Amino acid sequence: MILLFLTGSALALLKPNPKSMVILAVQYISTSWLAFTSLPAAGVAAKLITGFLVCVILYLGIRQIGNDPLPMDDEVLSANLSFRVIALLLVTVASVSVAGSNLFAQFEISMEANVGASFLIASSLLNLGLGTDPLRSGIGLLTLISGGELIYSFIEPSLALIALLAMVHLGIVLAINYIISIRIRHGNPEIFNP
Amino acid sequence: MSAGLIIFLFTAIYSLLCFVLRHQRIASALVAAIGAGSIAVFVLFVPFDDVFLIGSVSIKLTSEWIILGRLFSMSDTVRPLIGFLYLAGAFLLPAAWVVNANRYFTPVGLLILGTVAASLMVDPFVFAAVFIELAAMGAVFILVTRQHPRSTGASRMLTLYTFAMFSILFTGSLLEIAGITSATPVLAIRVTFLLGFGFAILMTVPPFHLWLPKSADESDPYILVFILVILQSAGFFFLIRFLDSYIWLREQTAIFDGIRIAGIITTILAVGFSASQRDLKKLMAYALLVDLGVMLIAIGSGEEAGFRIALSLSGVRVIALGVLALGLSFLSNEDLLINNTRGMGYKMPLASVAFLVGLLSIAGTPLTAGFPGRWSLLTVVLHGDKLAAGTVIFSMIGLGVLVIRWAAILFERGDGEEPIAMSHLPRGFLLGGIILLLLLAIFPQFIFPWVEDVASGLTNLFL
């Protein structure tokens, strides 16, 4: 759970770049670890493999941009580091209180998974809200799905659902890679001016 | 062999063929149309679970297919819905080469149809949300293209559909596992909220429509209409199946009131936004929302006749929107460097007329395909609901006035409006579309058998 907090915070605070994929991979490992209490070993292994595939595909797609921001990066929203830190603190408090509110009391979800998933969803909302950069949005979406999937694995621990959600992870990463590659190859900077 | 497997297999084969033929636009569009049409015929007319003879060979196709422990069922409930989607594909995909759409439109379009078909077949049907999310992902690949590299609208759509997916998955689980009844009011409120949130996104109800005008601005209008028709239909079919499956939902008048109010707000807002547009593409996006609003008002009536009218409206809108988008694609063709719409009616008369007739049909003007549905809604369902009836009339008059305004702009006389040459086939497509819309106004009963097919499958909703 601590790893989830660290990786979620790092992904929200740092500017996304190819090295962020290592953090994303650690986040996938910690999510899979938390899912161990609800899923069979095969399911956890499938989640891990999907996570690694996602990170590798995203890394291969974005390594060409390096540390250069894509047009319409989050500077447009003036989301500097201090703003992000304050926003992260707020969403962390909100997520912990949501996790403690027994929102999913009908289902037997462990406290660690509940808090971890709530934080992942909250940090993903922060990522999605902080910029229009497709890479940041993509990481936000992947984090959102990881959080939702963690809770849902307690509700419906079936292999079919793991396979379907793995397809969603891979579909998102392919779509994001595609958007980034189209922007790099055919994006005219003039048309991205807000 | 199972019917589901055959559908997926042939969708994949046709999609692969379209991909291989992507540089030969006519061949690719033809394969897509024939492929989607043949699958529609297969779904609608071939008997399942019965032995039938082809020559001397006896064949039995099963309606059920199990994969990874999940059932994909071609039940009587979903057959007309899947048939409708493939027919819509067969109607919309062939014009891809006429409007010079991105060459991946046909293969990806077919895959989107297959994914949405899977969303209708999967059991338990709450898993449909995941398939609709996958279809939305496929949509990104044709909304963002080399010719249209901006992606804000597509990214917003992807984000919103992800929220919708989890919202509906959790709702389904709460309904299945927690057992919602009128004796559990707190849970009931939670479920209603989650369900409303999910379906509002799937059906692009404001404020979750924000990706739509942005995509209209950024993407090919014809591709956008295809995506919207398919995804909104998937959301609509999902909603009526939800209502059909859970008695608790059907008994909640508040839910139908909510849908009706959402429909009224959507219609009024969309008419207002349409009136303020100076861009034809954005006008199309908001006109689409007006149509959706009227459909929601029909569902929100909570009456069987209202559901039937909503179904017939969803059938007619495929043709109206297709014709509208076809005309618009020519009017906004960047290759022809057309930036000024004034006097465009003289340069491209047929495309302008197709756009205006399509818009008139969306408005529900008499003598167009959209009118019989709206007239039935006003006379049969909404006679006791003045607010909803007034909103429908407001939408008809509002959009009608807009058509007159845009006709005046498009056919404004200026200097040097030389007609732009158009070959026979695009003219045939435009003229065929216009005639079809007018014919459907005279013979609206053409759509009735399909509505009855759907109704006979949803036995709880249509008693």
Side-chain angles (χ1 to χ4, degrees):
Chain A
M1 200 170 72
I2 292 165
L3 266 180
L4 267 188
F5 271 93
L6 290 175
T7 53
S9 306
L11 287 172
L13 293 177
L14 303 174
K15 192 179 279 291
N17 58 49
K19 288 170 195 161
S20 307
M21 295 312 108
V22 178
I23 304 173
L24 193 62
V26 177
Q27 183 173 283
Y28 271 111
I29 294 169
S30 24
T31 315
S32 304
W33 181 260
L34 278 179
F36 230 122
T37 45
S38 64
L39 292 178
V44 176
K47 274 169 71 78
L48 265 177
I49 292 167
T50 308
F52 283 129
L53 273 176
V54 163
C55 295
V56 171
I57 294 170
L58 202 51
Y59 173 77
L60 291 175
I62 61 169
R63 65 178 172 174
Q64 42 193 323
I65 59 170
N67 288 321
D68 300 330
L70 279 167
M72 279 178 75
D73 205 345
D74 39 26
E75 272 76 14
V76 175
L77 299 175
S78 303
N80 57 22
L81 188 64
S82 51
F83 176 84
R84 283 184 231 167
V85 169
I86 294 167
L88 183 70
L89 284 173
L90 286 173
V91 298
T92 306
V93 172
S95 66
V96 172
S97 66
V98 165
S101 68
N102 282 335
L103 197 63
F104 298 102
Q106 291 74 29
F107 311 110
E108 289 175 9
I109 301 171
S110 71
M111 193 58 196
E112 294 82 10
N114 205 348
V115 174
S118 300
F119 176 73
L120 280 181
I121 292 169
S123 69
S124 74
L125 293 178
L126 191 60
N127 254 329
L128 288 167
L130 275 181
T132 48
D133 170 15
L135 182 54
R136 186 177 279 283
S137 302
I139 290 173
L141 273 180
L142 292 167
T143 310
L144 174 72
I145 297 168
S146 294
E149 193 181 5
L150 185 55
I151 293 182
Y152 207 72
S153 65
F154 283 84
I155 300 169
E156 173 85 40
S158 73
L159 277 178
L161 194 79
I162 293 168
L164 277 175
L165 289 174
M167 282 167 72
V168 172
H169 276 280
L170 293 172
I172 295 251
V173 81
L174 288 175
I176 296 299
N177 259 4
Y178 173 73
I179 288 173
I180 291 171
S181 75
I182 286 282
R183 277 198 172 195
I184 291 169
R185 286 181 199 170
H186 307 290
N188 177 354
E190 281 176 14
I191 60 174
F192 294 116
N193 284 334
Chain B
M1 205 171 191
S2 66
L5 178 62
I6 289 175
I7 291 171
F8 293 138
L9 212 57
F10 275 89
T11 303
I13 290 169
Y14 286 127
S15 173
L16 196 65
L17 264 175
C18 289
F19 179 77
V20 172
L21 296 168
R22 67 188 182 280
H23 294 292
Q24 294 153 300
R25 288 174 183 273
I26 300 176
S28 171
L30 271 176
V31 168
I34 293 168
S38 60
I39 294 172
V41 169
F42 171 78
V43 171
L44 291 171
F45 299 111
V46 172
F48 301 145
D49 298 322
D50 285 329
V51 179
F52 62 95
L53 291 170
I54 296 181
S56 57
V57 184
S58 65
I59 294 173
K60 184 182 179 185
L61 296 173
T62 54
S63 60
E64 294 184 345
W65 179 39
I66 295 172
I67 181 166
L68 277 174
R70 289 291 153 194
L71 178 69
F72 286 82
S73 170
M74 186 65 88
S75 63
D76 288 341
T77 312
V78 301
R79 280 179 74 162
L81 304 178
I82 295 172
F84 166 82
L85 287 170
Y86 276 100
L87 276 181
F91 179 77
L92 293 172
L93 288 171
W97 69 271
V98 179
V99 297
N100 207 20
N102 182 272
R103 60 179 184 268
Y104 296 106
F105 173 45
T106 46
V108 177
L110 279 171
L111 288 180
I112 290 172
L113 285 177
T115 313
V116 175
S119 81
L120 292 166
M121 280 191 265
V122 72
D123 187 42
F125 74 93
V126 285
F127 280 14
V130 184
F131 285 98
I132 295 175
E133 163 84 348
L134 290 172
M137 282 172 204
V140 171
F141 290 91
I142 45 178
L143 284 175
V144 183
T145 60
R146 197 174 53 175
Q147 297 87 358
H148 302 275
R150 289 188 287 172
S151 60
T152 312
S155 298
R156 282 181 190 170
M157 178 193 69
L158 202 53
T159 306
L160 285 170
Y161 271 75
T162 307
F163 281 116
M165 175 184 74
F166 276 115
S167 163
I168 291 174
L169 277 178
F170 283 119
T171 308
S173 303
L174 281 168
L175 284 168
E176 292 284 342
I177 298 166
I180 310 291
T181 63
S182 50
T184 53
V186 178
L187 262 182
I189 290 169
R190 201 176 289 170
V191 165
T192 309
F193 173 76
L194 273 174
L195 196 65
F197 177 68
F199 279 111
I201 292 174
L202 289 187
M203 298 189 73
T204 344
V205 173
F208 305 111
H209 72 294
L210 285 174
W211 68 273
L212 183 55
K214 199 73 189 163
S215 286
D217 194 30
E218 295 174 346
S219 308
D220 185 317
Y222 196 78
I223 293 177
L224 179 64
V225 159
F226 174 82
I227 298 296
L228 264 170
V229 163
I230 300 302
L231 290 185
Q232 275 189 345
S233 299
F236 170 53
F237 296 156
F238 197 15
L239 174 66
I240 57 171
R241 288 181 71 202
F242 237 98
L243 291 171
D244 184 69
S245 300
Y246 296 106
I247 186 167
W248 170 81
L249 281 176
R250 286 197 304 280
E251 286 173 348
Q252 296 292 309
T253 51
I255 286 180
F256 287 108
D257 286 343
I259 295 173
R260 195 172 54 90
I261 290 165
I264 290 169
I265 292 171
T266 303
T267 309
I268 293 171
L269 280 178
V271 172
F273 284 133
S274 303
S276 64
Q277 295 309 313
R278 291 183 171 187
D279 179 355
L280 284 176
K281 290 180 180 177
K282 285 189 177 171
L283 172 67
M284 179 195 75
Y286 287 114
L288 232 145
L289 281 184
V290 175
D291 196 45
L292 172 79
V294 174
M295 271 172 63
L296 288 176
I297 290 173
I299 302 167
S301 68
E303 293 179 25
E304 207 179 304
F307 302 143
R308 282 179 204 275
I309 290 168
L311 282 169
S312 70
L313 285 174
S314 75
V316 168
R317 78 200 299 255
V318 175
I319 301 163
L321 288 171
V323 175
L324 187 152
L326 193 59
L328 183 57
S329 293
F330 284 106
L331 294 176
S332 60
N333 193 338
E334 286 170 26
D335 293 343
L336 297 172
L337 296 173
I338 295 167
N339 294 317
N340 190 0
T341 46
R342 286 184 196 280
M344 191 54 64
Y346 293 102
K347 290 179 184 171
M348 306 190 103
L350 215 48
S352 302
V353 171
F355 173 77
L356 292 171
V357 171
L359 201 55
L360 277 173
S361 186
I362 300 284
T365 314
L367 296 178
T368 61
F371 178 69
R374 278 167 177 75
W375 183 249
S376 309
L377 185 61
L378 286 169
T379 53
V380 180
V381 182
L382 300 179
H383 45 80
D385 187 345
K386 285 180 185 160
L387 179 61
T391 307
V392 175
I393 293 168
F394 169 70
S395 76
M396 291 168 78
I397 294 172
L399 278 189
V401 170
L402 275 176
V403 172
I404 295 168
R405 180 189 152 201
W406 277 99
I409 293 170
L410 287 168
F411 287 94
E412 187 177 298
R413 192 49 98 174
D415 295 327
E417 282 103 2
E418 289 297 317
I420 295 170
M422 190 183 275
S423 59
H424 288 299
L425 270 169
R427 277 161 60 185
F429 266 90
L430 288 166
L431 203 59
I434 295 167
I435 292 170
L436 193 59
L437 277 181
L438 300 177
L439 276 177
L440 269 176
I442 304 165
F443 306 108
Q445 64 271 29
F446 174 75
I447 208 98
F448 289 172
W450 173 75
V451 174
E452 286 310 313
D453 270 359
V454 177
S456 65
L458 300 164
T459 48
N460 297 320
L461 211 54
F462 297 89
L463 299 168

